[in-house]
Amino acid sequence: MTHALDAPGAVVAYDVREAEASTRPTLLLIGSPMDASGFTTLAGHFQDRTVVTYDPRGTGRSVRTPEAGESTPDLHADDVHRIITALGGGPVDIFASSGGAINALALVAKHPEQVRLLVAHEPPAAQVLPDRDHALALIKDMRRTYDREGAGAAMAQFIAITSHLGELPADIGELPVANPADFGMPTEDDGSRDDVLFAQNLITCTHYEPDFAALRAASTDVVLAVGVESEGTMAYRGGVAVAERLGTKPVIFPSHHGGFLGGEFGQEGDPDAFAAALRQVLDQ
């Protein structure tokens, strides 16, 4: 069943797949900027518990007000806090991937009482990388490319940065940036500047530094997860770095950054094995 709730600057849509006889905690599956449709396959593996997905503000069915500025992890966290409150207040379990993992860390820092367990999968936490200065500079350059040339050129840089293995160089010219057409992306600038990734979330997400003191003090169990096929990428290294700051080690999951995908967006991970690994962590 689909619901909508009002939040400052947005109307946020979320879906509840009810498992009426279940005594297990409700499971939230969240990404960013990916919307709820990306979790269709993964949600199907957890029919023994109530599963909730949502469209982050500005994506899918969740509409921002015209005057809304860039979305921040704290804003996204407040949206999820409102959803959990509408569900009864929790505590819930959360699987959060990519930018959703950054947002979920912000949520737990502020509302640990609402979350029993957080599995934060490959957060792109550039602020805590050993090569943070290079990473942040490249991301800012990517945003300037978007402002100047549009989404196609910026996405070519995004792919080069996020697929690079190891520490990032100081200059985008040191990375093999392909022609956008090689990835089936437009080479012409359509003039729009409202892209949910580049305009709304790119800087605020990657430049966010989690409140590690609050996370360490939280009652929530926080588990970092990284994909075995992602080793060396920025998101993998972000997961490792966040885990180190929390005094833990990341759990190795099957597949890659989109390992839970079963054809959504034309991408295939290893969703059966991924779901089994997630279930093991949830059941522990």
Side-chain angles (χ1 to χ4, degrees), residues 269-280:
D270 189 355
D272 293 348
F274 196 99
L278 177 56
R279 183 176 292 278
Q280 183 175 9

Side-chain angles (χ1 to χ4, degrees), residues 216 221-225 239-251:
R216 286 191 292 267
D221 288 327
V222 178
V223 176
L224 275 298
V240 171
V242 172
E244 288 177 350
R245 292 286 294 271
L246 295 176
T248 65
K249 293 184 180 299
V251 176

Side-chain angles (χ1 to χ4, degrees), residues 3 11 14-15 17 39 46 52 61 80 82 89-90 133 147 164 189 198 210 214 227 234 254 264 281-282:
H3 305 264
V11 177
Y14 65 98
D15 304 303
R17 296 169 172 84
F39 288 116
F46 292 92
V52 176
R61 302 156 296 171
V80 179
R82 290 169 185 269
D133 291 341
D147 291 337
H164 178 76
D189 182 3
F198 296 115
M234 190 184 85
E264 294 91 342
V281 175
L282 295 173

Side-chain angles (χ1 to χ4, degrees), residues 7 45 56 155 174 176 178 216-217 221 225 247:
H45 285 273
M155 183 57 74
E174 299 178 54
R216 286 191 292 267
D221 288 327

Side-chain angles (χ1 to χ4, degrees), residues 96-229:
S97 187
S98 193
I102 296 286
N103 302 337
L105 290 167
L107 169 69
V108 168
K110 288 183 167 59
H111 300 286
E113 75 285 352
Q114 289 194 320
V115 185
R116 183 188 77 98
L117 170 68
L118 166 62
V119 181
H121 177 247
E122 298 200 3
Q127 278 283 9
V128 297
L129 294 176
D131 51 327
R132 64 179 296 277
D133 291 341
H134 288 180
L136 295 175
L138 290 177
I139 293 165
K140 288 178 181 176
D141 185 80
M142 190 196 324
R143 174 57 188 267
R144 287 191 294 270
T145 297
Y146 171 72
D147 291 337
R148 186 176 61 249
E149 302 176 41
M155 183 57 74
Q157 288 189 3
F158 177 87
I159 292 170
I161 292 168
T162 57
S163 62
H164 178 76
L165 302 182
E167 294 196 358
L168 289 158
D171 188 87
I172 191 66
E174 299 178 54
L175 293 176
V177 178
N179 187 305
D182 294 342
F183 299 102
M185 297 180 296
T187 56
E188 297 295 325
D189 182 3
D190 66 4
S192 66
R193 292 296 183 270
D194 58 356
D195 185 84
V196 66
L197 170 61
F198 296 115
Q200 296 178 32
N201 290 285
L202 178 69
I203 297 296
T204 56
C205 173
T206 56
H207 285 54
Y208 182 83
E209 182 165 356
D211 185 342
F212 290 107
L215 290 169
R216 286 191 292 267
S219 56
T220 306
D221 288 327
V222 178
V223 176
L224 275 298
V226 292
V228 66
E229 296 176 26

